[in-house]
Amino acid sequence: MRRRTFLGLLAAGAGLTRIAPAADTALLVAEMTLEEKLGQLAMLSADYAVTGPTVAGDVSGELRAGRVGSLFNLWGREAIRAAQRIAVEETRLGIPLFFALDILHGFRTIFPIPLAEAAAFDPALWEETARAAAVEAIAAGVDLTFAPMLDVARDPRWGRIAEGPGEDPCVADRFATAKVRGYQGSGLAATPKHFAAYGASAAGRDYAAVDISERALAEIYLPPFRAAIDAGALALMPAFTDLAGVPLTANRALLTDTLRTDWGFDGVVISDYNAIAELTRHGVAADTAEAAALALRAGVDIDMMSRAYRDGLPVALDRGLVTLAEIDTAVARVLALKARLGLFADPFRRAGPVEPAPPPRALARAAAARGLTLLTNRGDTLPIETPPARLALIGPLADAPADMLGPWAGAGRPDEAVALLPALRDVWPDARIDHVPAVPIAGGEPARIEAGLAAAVAAATRADHVLLCLGEAASMSGEAASRAHLSLPGQQQALADAVLATGKPVVLLLFSGRPLILPDLFDRAAATVACWFPGSEAGPGIADLLTGRVAPSARLPVTWPRAEGQIPIAYAARPGGRPENRNDHYTSKYIDLPNSPQFAFGHGLSTTSFTMTDPAAEGTGPITARTTVANAGRRAGTATVFLFLHDPVSIISRPTLELRRFTQVTLAPGERREVAFTLARDDFAALDAALRPAVEPGAFDLHLGFSADPAALRTIRVTVA
Ligand code: GLC
């Protein structure tokens, strides 16, 4: 049959849900040479962005030889068209490529980093920004994103905490579903990553070994990926790390038995960057052939960048380490993905001329504000409702548009990002703004630093409002950016000390991809906002919060530690036999610090105050818990209500709090509203000794609160039949 016929056979509908009939892919696979098959399993970077330790350089020769099945780090319809034309018109079978990119929080219009978006506790927002990002990406020819990143993280030393939904599996589940729906509902294939438990890497060091219990894996790290697969994710990426000595890239138990057999995943597994070749460094493969065989037999279909499949699988075949049938299975999955993406129907469906939609700047501005977490606000410092006559805008992150985009900024452009300085000039046109960067984010010459500190002090002394913009550079966050000290980099603490010493009220704006350890600053600043990295509309979003145009509604998706010594730290902890009691020596505590965090999971202030009254529950499974939330202040605001669960007596010791529901409620001053959550019987299930879900009838405590702070929870004892 002529090649056109094969491609016609595989032509599937435009939607992402239909898959080409297996018989058709099998026909095409049967027609392919070994080299062409291995070509479909090879993914190379086109280096529009460099996201790993090696670069591919000019890949057109390999494209022409049919030795590449997909490209990533390439975008723009012209470039995509040129590459696709080679694959479709200059190779023997003309099998189209698919094109991929890391689109984690926006394609060209950049939204807040995922950790900041998680702080919005709003699945509708999570889905909306994914949808907007997908629309922009598809207009630039991209078919698949390596997102959402779903690694639950409880260790802010780990730079990649910035890329995910925070510490809680319930939040991560909802985040997973929202993101997969948002991406794939708009035609962009999603690739949940990094499967699994990458966030538990030893000592917070990226790529380090992971040793967690089977229970922790099942209760904390796997559920978000299950949610993503149940939402129909078409691809998945294993983690670089090992799990109890078995690298995920070679982990058949998880990549085949759990993912495909138990969960029914029928998509494509794409290795992480060079990860297959790195199995030799893990020490589980003696050479490339063994590495390739391990990965293929574990269930990895596509080899990103390592060329281990191209070079190693022919040798592995000769050695009998793999069979041709195993290779054909992987090839058929890749072809099925391409059919689902509609690429056989029209390889140039995303490479032709298109009228790009207007960039979603308004959404980016609104999302930026939704991630800004008001940590402290002494004496109602914020909002600043009267425009200042003279404002000191101090610090290296006051006018740093590139850093506002954060890590993994896709095709985001710093020259299209709006930092705080221009935004304040816009909202306070009559204010005299003294902008003093004062010190660099890190490093700097002593003499220049002295001069910068002096200029900052002078500006603060003259001003009637002081905004201090401190924190991390985007490069200090994300992949390969673990930090052992979580204090302010460089001389920024000295800058903060100098400015605070003026006695002026200081609003501290923190930019970072993780909680930072600044114990004294929270007490000394008049107000503190965790801005994270807010994206292309960072400045306007922050200005909206500072002026009160938008009320702060974000809540911490991660526990904020007082000191690195408390890490790993999370609210969901089992009590142990000697829970902390400061009055009892022999209990679980530090002798030099309270166990409590700087700020609890779910912490975040509004510029009004809320009360929670009349907690009650009815039913024995399902059970409905309800409470009344009231706005007791003078400004409108949004409260986030959390419902935690605890089984006080169970066959397995349970964490004292486990999040089961959350919701946001926006109230005018004086308004009150009932908030009700219904828990199905299954919501009371926990994994038994054999790690099977089971409901133990009996007493349970439901805890309602505005955060995980134990002191502020309202508890209802219920009985599950
Ligand atoms: C990187 C990251 C992964 C990313 C991939 C492609 O090393 O680990 O998250 O999707 O390479 O850029």
Side-chain angles (χ1 to χ4, degrees), residues 375-659:
L375 300 176
T376 66
N377 191 21
R378 204 169 55 234
D380 271 0
T381 301
L382 293 179
I384 302 170
E385 286 169 320
T386 307
R390 191 150 191 177
L391 173 72
L393 182 62
I394 300 170
L397 285 144
D399 189 25
D403 292 302
M404 295 298 105
L405 300 183
W408 296 108
R413 300 178 189 180
D415 63 0
E416 293 180 352
V418 184
L420 185 56
L421 175 59
L424 291 180
R425 285 186 175 140
D426 184 51
V427 293
W428 289 330
D430 303 326
R432 170 169 176 171
I433 299 177
D434 293 339
H435 171 226
V436 182
V439 301
I441 293 172
E445 314 268 313
R448 296 192 56 169
I449 285 168
E450 281 315 306
L453 297 184
V457 167
T461 305
R462 289 192 300 266
D464 44 49
H465 278 281
V466 181
L467 299 181
L468 189 52
C469 302
L470 307 177
E472 296 177 322
S475 60
M476 297 173 179
S477 178
E479 184 175 359
S482 295
R483 294 182 64 202
H485 300 288
L486 301 184
S487 49
L488 289 166
Q491 294 301 314
Q492 296 184 67
Q493 181 68 45
L495 172 59
D497 292 339
V499 170
L500 286 162
T502 65
K504 283 290 178 80
V506 174
V507 173
L508 176 58
L509 301 175
L510 282 178
F511 297 85
S512 66
R514 53 167 53 95
L516 298 178
I517 304 294
L518 322 167
D520 64 328
L521 291 189
F522 295 120
D523 299 331
R524 296 162 60 199
T528 316
V529 183
C531 300
W532 316 106
F533 291 114
S536 302
E537 287 284 327
I542 297 168
D544 287 344
L545 184 120
L546 293 175
T547 59
R549 179 174 172 273
V550 172
S553 60
R555 300 290 181 266
L556 288 178
V558 283
T559 301
W560 195 294
R562 294 178 191 276
E564 291 91 342
Q566 293 181 309
I567 293 169
I569 187 169
Y571 79 83
R574 293 194 295 270
R578 297 185 173 183
E580 179 190 24
N581 175 347
R582 305 306 301 182
N583 303 317
D584 180 343
H585 181 70
Y586 297 101
T587 60
S588 176
K589 63 190 182 309
Y590 302 101
I591 58 173
D592 56 355
L593 194 71
N595 293 9
S596 61
Q598 185 77 46
F599 302 111
F601 171 89
H603 172 78
L605 302 181
S606 308
T607 45
T608 185
S609 60
F610 295 102
T611 62
M612 184 181 284
T613 54
D614 311 326
E618 70 255 1
T620 57
I623 288 177
T624 298
R626 56 185 81 248
T627 185
T628 299
V629 177
N631 180 342
R634 58 187 179 84
R635 291 192 192 89
T638 299
T640 304
V641 182
F642 298 95
L643 174 67
F644 299 96
L645 178 71
H646 179 226
D647 186 349
V649 179
S650 164
I651 51 170
I652 302 286
S653 172
R654 303 301 310 162
T656 50
L657 293 176
E658 291 182 274
L659 185 64

Side-chain angles (χ1 to χ4, degrees), residues 242-260:
D242 75 62
L243 178 56
V246 182
L248 269 303
T249 305
N251 198 313
R252 184 177 176 83
L254 281 171
L255 292 180
T256 295
D257 301 342
T258 298
L259 185 63
R260 294 189 186 278

Side-chain angles (χ1 to χ4, degrees), residues 51-52 72-73 102 146 160 163 193-194 198 237 240 272-273 304 408 479:
T51 58
F72 67 114
N73 293 338
D102 293 279
F146 303 127
R160 306 200 78 165
E163 304 175 37
K193 70 184 185 184
H194 307 77
Y198 186 11
M237 183 185 292
F240 283 120
D272 205 336
Y273 208 113
M304 179 192 284
W408 296 108
E479 184 175 359

